[in-house]
Amino acid sequence: MEKKATSPAPAPKPAAAATKGKGGLNPALVIPLLFAIALCVYIFVLGAPEHFKDGDHAKGPIDGDYYGIVYKGGPIVPILMTCFLIVLTFTIERLITLNKASGSGSIDAFVRKLRTLLDKNQIEEAIKECDRQKGSVGNVVKAGLLKYKQLTTETALDKEQKLAALQKEIEEATTLELPMLQKNLTIIATLAGASTLLALLGTVIGMIKAFAALGTSGSPDSAALATGISEALINTALGIGTSAIATISYAYLNSRVDDLTYSIDEIGMSLQSNFAAHY
């Protein structure tokens, strides 16, 4: 009877690669908490009576007291403070996650050493090196190496089918790692633009108050005019500052993810080239 070709059993994936994607902070819990913190700071710290003349908000902040000045920025201020705290929190969280994903030692040195081991066809040593690296690059490459090792003894597939199976294994392992690396980056990118829009909203509200003061019958209310302009500028400053930090943070973190992805792709190509040369 003719023997049917059977697909090789999938190589076991490293446990870390299967579970890391579930890590990280949960935005649904963190964002409301940060809003509550920002609101408390706005009311109880910035709005404390000692920052205002005679302890009265209506009389305005004490000259040179920036706590009171920021408080007079109006209701958009705690929202902008929340945006700043979100950017700061998720930037720190991503930095910690990406540092863990980078593993121990230099990634470039790891890539060079692994390519040297592959050129010598020392697969077992390469797997041990991945275990020592303990990062996302090591997780993906280990999955590929385990598949590589399995395919060397597979007789039911031809060379092209083995190469396709190896490539698929590397792509699947990469797909498991990337969500963990990219998680919450979208929030930072969104706030880079949203903070500016919120600042514009606060600016418009402040300018409405300022022009309303100019439109009063008789002499314009100079105090209300100054308050409106001050509110507009405070919101503008907070929004632009938060947006700038979010933009820089996203660009840096995204470049870190791209570096890890490039390293994974580089070793993946080396792994496939090595298999094609030896088998």
Side-chain angles (χ1 to χ4, degrees), residues 205-228:
I205 293 173
M207 294 309 296
I208 289 172
K209 293 180 180 179
F211 281 106
L214 283 175
T216 55
S217 58
S219 61
D221 188 344
S222 59
L225 175 62
T227 299

Side-chain angles (χ1 to χ4, degrees), residues 180-195:
M180 182 273 294
L181 299 178
Q182 297 174 335
K183 185 177 180 181
N184 296 330
L185 284 182
T186 304
I187 295 175
I188 298 176
T190 301
L191 289 178
S195 297

Side-chain angles (χ1 to χ4, degrees), residues 134-190:
K134 298 178 181 178
S136 291
V137 179
N139 289 335
V140 174
V141 177
K142 183 178 179 180
L145 288 170
L146 292 173
K147 189 68 174 181
Y148 183 113
K149 184 179 178 182
Q150 177 190 354
L151 290 172
T152 57
T153 58
E154 179 62 47
T155 58
L157 301 177
D158 59 29
K159 185 174 183 178
E160 292 300 324
Q161 290 173 319
K162 290 180 179 180
L163 285 172
L166 180 59
Q167 181 180 3
K168 182 180 179 182
E169 187 70 21
I170 295 172
E171 289 175 353
E172 288 179 352
T174 303
T175 302
L176 288 172
E177 288 290 336
L178 282 182
M180 182 273 294
L181 299 178
Q182 297 174 335
K183 185 177 180 181
N184 296 330
L185 284 182
T186 304
I187 295 175
I188 298 176
T190 301

Side-chain angles (χ1 to χ4, degrees), residues 2-3 8 32 43 46-47 51 65 76 93 125-126 150 154 180 185 191 202 210 219 239-241 246 263 265 271 278:
E2 183 180 355
K3 184 178 179 181
I43 295 173
L46 301 181
H51 302 306
D65 192 313
I76 302 298
E93 183 260 346
E125 287 298 321
Q150 177 190 354
E154 179 62 47
M180 182 273 294
L185 284 182
L191 289 178
S219 61
I240 291 176
S263 298
D265 292 340
L271 193 59
H278 289 88

Side-chain angles (χ1 to χ4, degrees), residues 76 79-87 187-203 235-247:
I76 302 298
I79 300 176
L80 289 171
M81 290 173 61
T82 302
C83 293
F84 173 76
L85 290 176
I86 291 171
V87 171
I187 295 175
I188 298 176
T190 301
L191 289 178
S195 297
T196 305
L197 295 177
L198 288 170
L200 180 60
L201 175 61
T203 302
N235 283 284
T236 301
L238 287 175
I240 291 176
T242 300
S243 178
I245 294 172
T247 301

